[in-house]
Amino acid sequence: MELSKRLDITQKHLSIIETGTQFASANLIERICEELNVSPAALFGEDLNQTYMDKLYARLATHFENKINWLHTILSSEIKSK
């Protein structure tokens, strides 16, 4: 709880970042590194294995695919309404 207070975020927000449920912004990662006095490589572990990276890329791809589909739906409905 101490870290979340120092970062001025809720404990719940920090928890969902720690569990990988949500990504932290670059700004927040920088602040976490400063508070913990570690480099980003040390924060994420210098031994990131390929399985972890594959899962991360898959999550990012799904996230962006969902955003693209959402935008496509909005644009399609706008075109149909005109």
Side-chain angles (χ1 to χ4, degrees):
M1 175 138 34
E2 176 71 25
L3 181 59
S4 62
K5 286 181 182 179
R6 293 188 341 227
L7 295 169
D8 194 30
I9 61 174
T10 65
Q11 179 61 38
K12 182 177 180 179
H13 185 185
L14 183 59
S15 177
I16 61 176
I17 291 168
E18 290 173 333
T19 59
T21 306
Q22 188 177 64
F23 295 110
S25 67
N27 182 287
L28 183 54
I29 291 171
E30 182 179 11
R31 290 173 34 217
I32 291 170
C33 289
E34 288 173 3
E35 286 296 327
L36 298 176
N37 197 27
V38 297
S39 69
L43 181 67
F44 290 105
E46 295 177 16
D47 60 345
L48 292 177
N49 62 38
Q50 192 59 45
T51 302
Y52 174 82
M53 294 304 293
D54 289 345
K55 288 179 182 178
L56 179 61
Y57 292 140
R59 286 182 61 208
L60 285 169
T62 300
H63 172 78
F64 287 114
E65 183 178 358
N66 290 339
K67 292 288 186 185
I68 290 168
N69 289 338
W70 176 74
L71 288 170
H72 176 71
T73 301
I74 290 173
L75 289 172
S76 293
S77 67
E78 285 293 319
I79 290 169
K80 288 176 184 176
S81 70
K82 293 188 182 221

